[in-house]
Amino acid sequence: MKSITVVGASLAGLYAARALRTQGFDGRLVIVGDEHHQPYDRPPLSKDFLTGATDQGQLALVDADDTADLYAEWYLGTRATGLDAAGGTVLLDGDRSLETDAVVIATGATPRLLPGQEPGDPAHTGVHTLRTLDDAQALREDLARGQARVVVIGGGFIGAEVASSCAMLGHDVTVVEAAPLPLVPQLGDDMAKVCAGLHADHGVTLVAGTGVAGLQGGRGYSDHPDSPDRVTGVELTDGRLLPADIVVVGIGVRPNTDWLESSGLLLKDGVVCDAGCVGSLPNVVAVGDVARVDGHRAEHWTSATEQAGIAAQNLLAGSTVATHRSLPYFWSDQYGVRIQFAGRRLPTDTPRIVEGSADARSFLACYERDGQTTAVLAVNRPRPFMRYRRELKRAV
């Protein structure tokens, strides 16, 4: 194996490239990324970067030493358009191609859009998604124009974090969630209700149990030039109209697999992989948000970093010699509160607060099944959480 191409200059792609070098690969290493930026840390985009507490330089995941150690060829601002695995070719925009012996797919995911909303061309100005550094920069600049009525569509972790940041900046914020309560799939009814209470604690309105019928456009708020196509409101399916100067759409993501449709790879809500991140074609592995590993697709920072080493090992071995069996873990910072979760809970598992108080917004809860702890949730309890997480990891 003389050449490997990593498609996706993401966190997962960077960690895979590092793992390949660490594990002894000394051939040609190419990293292709559709953004013009080198890999950067995404979690702060909805938090400290949006509020201005963190600048772009602090997000960087590579420095001069990393670049030298990787000894990689960077194709930034370059979009992969196809994969011919049998022919050993990655197709690029501009009718270009790369010859390669193996491929690491790390193309991540892209935000889901509202009906009628086009990628990069929203129906009205003032409508944002938040996935990339450029997305975050555009939203930050819009928020800096003056006090605004902000409507966040989607009450998941990204939506809640954006709402928290906007409230911290002094904006009037409303969160719209189609489900009766945000975060129920992740946390269950009881714990989701506690986390939903954080919005009210900080003056943010939560409108749950209704969807979005459409957006209205017209004259913008006073700090903007008058524009016939600027968003002015959000129409709800229950007939209500929410005035809005800025709208953030945070209704989930879909894996970036369109460029692989004719590759012959098995695709199903991501690149289908075995437990070792190995795809259905020889010499192809996938990591991060785009990878469906052993039936599951994890959209979390920790999973992306852990999968990379396993994928590199199996790619260099030419078969699945190691598997990824980590404990699911994610965190979220909202309204000055850190929420941490680890484990695999079922809807029937029962949460029990073992430390602290939900009313005080500081507690640790264990999810239990047949007398065994299956998962743990902490709200502003980082130290005991880490202890429980270590115990759960040992069990895995």
Side-chain angles (χ1 to χ4, degrees):
M1 192 178 293
K2 297 180 179 180
S3 62
I4 298 177
T5 299
V6 178
V7 184
S10 57
L11 172 77
L14 175 63
Y15 271 67
R18 286 174 175 169
L20 288 167
R21 289 302 194 210
T22 300
Q23 295 179 28
F25 177 68
D26 60 2
R28 184 190 185 201
L29 180 60
V30 180
I31 302 175
V32 177
D34 59 357
E35 296 183 62
H36 291 277
H37 312 288
Q38 285 196 321
Y40 56 86
D41 206 15
R42 293 187 191 275
L45 294 181
S46 57
K47 301 182 278 288
D48 288 349
F49 183 80
L50 205 56
T51 62
T54 295
D55 61 29
Q56 181 174 337
Q58 293 170 287
L59 301 178
L61 292 173
V62 295
D63 55 24
D65 290 337
D66 281 313
T67 302
D69 291 342
L70 282 176
Y71 197 67
E73 299 174 34
W74 294 85
Y75 283 64
L76 298 178
T78 301
R79 185 170 57 88
T81 60
L83 172 63
D84 177 4
T89 305
V90 176
L91 306 178
L92 307 177
D93 54 9
D95 293 325
R96 295 173 293 168
S97 63
L98 285 169
E99 301 300 318
T100 189
D101 295 324
V103 176
V104 179
I105 298 172
T107 44
T110 193
R112 296 186 182 278
L113 303 177
L114 296 172
Q117 188 181 7
E118 297 295 331
D121 184 25
H124 308 288
T125 57
V127 180
H128 299 266
T129 55
L130 183 56
R131 178 70 182 182
T132 68
L133 177 56
D134 291 344
D135 292 340
Q137 184 65 52
L139 177 56
R140 188 164 83 165
E141 291 174 0
D142 215 1
L143 292 169
R145 294 175 183 268
Q147 188 173 18
R149 297 163 298 181
V150 180
V151 175
V152 179
I153 301 173
F157 288 117
I158 292 295
E161 290 168 2
V162 170
S164 168
S165 297
C166 291
M168 186 181 300
L169 292 169
H171 299 288
D172 178 8
V173 184
T174 300
V175 176
V176 178
E177 169 58 45
L181 200 63
L183 301 176
V184 168
Q186 294 87 355
L187 306 179
D189 289 338
D190 293 339
M191 295 298 101
K193 188 178 300 182
V194 174
C195 292
L198 292 171
H199 295 299
D201 292 348
H202 295 84
V204 172
T205 301
L206 174 62
V207 179
T210 184
V212 172
L215 303 178
Q216 286 193 354
R219 182 174 177 174
Y221 65 108
S222 60
D223 288 319
H224 287 275
D226 290 348
S227 171
D229 63 352
R230 183 163 186 91
V231 69
T232 59
V234 177
E235 303 173 33
L236 303 182
T237 52
D238 63 9
R240 283 180 287 175
L241 175 65
L242 302 177
D245 305 307
I246 296 174
V247 171
V248 183
V249 180
I251 54 176
V253 298
R254 60 178 183 83
N256 284 325
T257 58
D258 292 350
W259 66 286
L260 296 167
E261 289 295 338
S262 60
S263 66
L265 272 173
L266 184 59
L267 306 174
K268 183 181 180 182
D269 186 35
V271 177
V272 177
C273 302
D274 66 12
C277 304
V278 177
S280 59
L281 293 177
N283 292 343
V284 176
V285 297
V287 291
D289 293 357
V290 75
R292 187 174 183 84
V293 178
D294 202 22
H296 302 281
R297 194 169 62 80
E299 299 171 3
H300 303 299
W301 194 95
T302 306
S303 298
T305 59
E306 292 177 343
Q307 289 171 357
I310 299 296
Q313 183 179 353
N314 292 329
L315 190 62
L316 295 177
S319 63
T320 303
V321 297
T323 57
H324 180 245
R325 293 182 56 83
S326 68
L327 183 76
Y329 164 64
F330 58 83
W331 78 92
S332 178
D333 293 321
Q334 306 169 22
Y335 306 105
V337 172
R338 168 148 289 197
I339 300 170
Q340 295 169 286
F341 181 94
R344 299 183 186 275
R345 62 166 288 274
L346 295 178
T348 52
D349 293 352
T350 303
R352 179 172 62 91
I353 294 179
V354 297
E355 183 178 314
S357 162
D359 292 337
R361 303 297 192 251
S362 177
F363 65 90
L364 186 139
C366 291
Y367 293 83
E368 298 176 342
R369 184 190 319 151
D370 299 328
Q372 299 293 319
T373 298
T374 58
V376 60
L377 168 70
V379 175
N380 270 354
R381 295 273 169 155
R383 289 188 176 180
F385 173 82
M386 296 307 295
R387 184 176 70 250
Y388 275 87
R389 183 189 173 197
R390 285 194 298 269
E391 292 175 359
L392 286 171
K393 285 185 72 173
R394 280 197 294 267
V396 172

